């Protein structure tokens, strides 16, 4: 039997990781692990419980809840203790706090455990900030996705408009900038390009072109693995 294939994708906020990872997972029939959705879910719950600025309470929260991701029809559904929170985790309020929650080492420790568990049984595509460096350092294919800040802000702003959310372009851009700074400067598992990651600047690429590029690489890996069997 062919050994499982792990694809890990990291990159700054709104660089297109989710679109690429979802599309790949669907095309290849792989499990999709959206690590950002987990950090967002904890942040959402902490805001709701009014404890988001209390580090000890957030740590207590993350140690005592069950987070589940279900990837269905191109959508990651997120559940905390069985309650669906999918609709609540991508709001400006969560965006404003998620990087602060994500810099807490104990929060990362707990979530990384769950992420690795999801990757135990088969082929998978994981995406986030530390999937190529910390969660799956032995991934078969590592990708670092980037795009210009203005392009990323334009894409995210459009997503908000499509959902009827009235956030200004400038606010979106400021939030991306702020999250990138915290995410890449924190002490534990900062966002960085793994040495062996393949860097893809998506500023001028369409999603189809990106996927085509990556599928070619996955085919090469598959062929290599088959030769080794
Ligand atoms: O979709 P977008 O790029 O805006 O963000 P995301 O992937 O949903 O991640 C939201 C936030 O979670 C990031 O800004 C990070 O603070 C945090 N995160 C992290 O610290 N480590 C990960 N592996 C994934 C996300």
């Amino acid at each position: 039997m062919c050994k499982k294939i792990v694809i890990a994708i990291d990159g700054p906020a709104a660089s297109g990781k989710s679109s690429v990872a979802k599309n790949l997972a669907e095309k290849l029939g792989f499990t999709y692990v959206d690590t950002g959705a987990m950090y967002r879910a904890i942040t959402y719950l902490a805001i709701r419980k009014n404890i988001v600025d209390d580090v000890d309470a957030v740590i207590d929260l993350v140690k005592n809840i069950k987070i589940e991701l279900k990837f269905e029809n191109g959508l990651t559904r997120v559940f905390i203790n069985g309650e669906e929170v999918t609709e609540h985790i991508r709001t400006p309020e969560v965006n404003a706090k998620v990087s602060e929650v994500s810099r807490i080492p104990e929060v990362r420790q707990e979530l990384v455990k769950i992420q690795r568990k999801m990757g135990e049984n088969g082929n998978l595509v994981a995406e986030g900030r530390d999937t190529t460096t910390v969660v799956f350092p032995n991934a078969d294919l590592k990708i670092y996705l980037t795009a210009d800040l203005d392009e990323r802000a334009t894409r995210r702003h459009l997503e908000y408009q499509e959902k009827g959310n009235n956030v200004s372009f400038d606010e979106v851009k400021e939030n991306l900038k702020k999250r990138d700074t915290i995410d890449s400067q924190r002490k534990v598992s900062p966002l960085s390009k793994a040495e062996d990651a393949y860097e893809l600047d998506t500023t001028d690429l369409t999603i189809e072109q990106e996927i085509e590029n990556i599928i070619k690489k996955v085919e090469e890996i598959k062929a290599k693995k088959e030769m080794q069997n």
Side-chain angles (χ1 to χ4, degrees):
M1 213 184 59
C2 199
K3 266 172 54 191
K4 67 170 185 177
I5 293 177
V6 175
I7 305 173
I9 307 175
D10 286 330
S15 53
K17 300 177 303 292
S18 297
S19 318
V20 171
K22 264 187 222 169
N23 210 301
L24 275 177
E26 278 189 322
K27 285 217 164 81
L28 297 164
F30 285 16
T31 300
Y32 170 43
V33 182
D34 178 353
T35 62
M38 296 183 183
Y39 291 95
R40 287 175 176 279
I42 298 291
T43 306
Y44 162 69
L45 197 63
I47 293 172
R48 196 169 87 181
K49 287 183 176 286
N50 228 349
I51 56 158
V52 71
D53 296 316
D54 179 343
V55 172
D56 290 333
V58 172
I59 294 171
D60 198 48
L61 180 73
V62 75
K63 288 191 169 161
N64 289 293
I65 57 168
K66 186 172 173 207
I67 297 192
E68 288 166 293
L69 299 185
K70 289 183 191 161
F71 185 48
E72 288 172 4
N73 305 322
L75 178 78
T76 302
R77 297 179 66 195
V78 187
F79 298 80
I80 305 181
N81 293 335
E83 176 194 342
E84 178 154 18
V85 296
T86 313
E87 293 296 318
H88 306 298
I89 65 167
R90 298 184 198 279
T91 61
E93 292 74 23
V94 170
N95 282 339
K97 287 288 179 187
V98 66
S99 289
E100 283 162 36
V101 169
S102 306
R103 80 205 303 187
I104 305 172
E106 291 86 347
V107 169
R108 308 201 66 79
Q109 222 172 9
E110 291 301 316
L111 295 187
V112 167
K113 265 193 242 164
I114 302 171
Q115 292 155 12
R116 291 198 177 130
K117 224 177 167 81
M118 286 179 76
E120 269 171 7
N121 294 326
N123 295 322
L124 87 142
V125 184
E127 56 113 339
R129 301 295 184 287
D130 60 348
T131 66
T132 57
T133 51
V134 174
V135 190
F136 298 111
N138 299 320
D140 299 282
L141 178 60
K142 297 182 184 182
I143 298 162
Y144 190 77
L145 272 194
T146 58
D148 283 354
L149 177 62
D150 274 318
E151 174 62 25
R152 293 190 278 128
T154 304
R155 291 178 192 167
R156 188 50 56 91
H157 186 232
L158 191 68
E159 277 170 31
Y160 279 129
Q161 284 183 322
E162 281 167 0
K163 282 197 227 158
N165 205 327
N166 256 340
V167 190
S168 73
F169 174 83
D170 287 346
E171 259 178 275
V172 173
K173 188 171 162 182
E174 266 320 296
N175 174 262
L176 298 185
K177 229 162 97 179
K178 184 177 161 216
R179 281 200 285 135
D180 286 351
T181 305
I182 303 178
D183 293 347
S184 46
Q185 291 182 359
R186 68 183 174 219
K187 283 208 180 84
V188 180
S189 316
L191 167 68
S192 68
K193 180 185 166 295
E195 237 171 59
D196 50 351
Y198 158 69
E199 185 164 344
L200 198 57
D201 185 332
T202 69
T203 310
D204 300 314
L205 287 179
T206 63
I207 239 243
E208 288 74 23
Q209 288 172 311
E210 292 162 26
I211 299 291
E212 216 174 282
N213 265 334
I214 299 168
I215 297 246
K216 264 191 214 144
K217 291 189 183 295
V218 176
E219 294 304 335
E220 287 168 18
I221 292 167
K222 266 192 188 159
K224 240 193 218 162
K225 288 209 176 212
E226 267 155 28
M227 295 243 297
Q228 285 164 359
N229 279 314

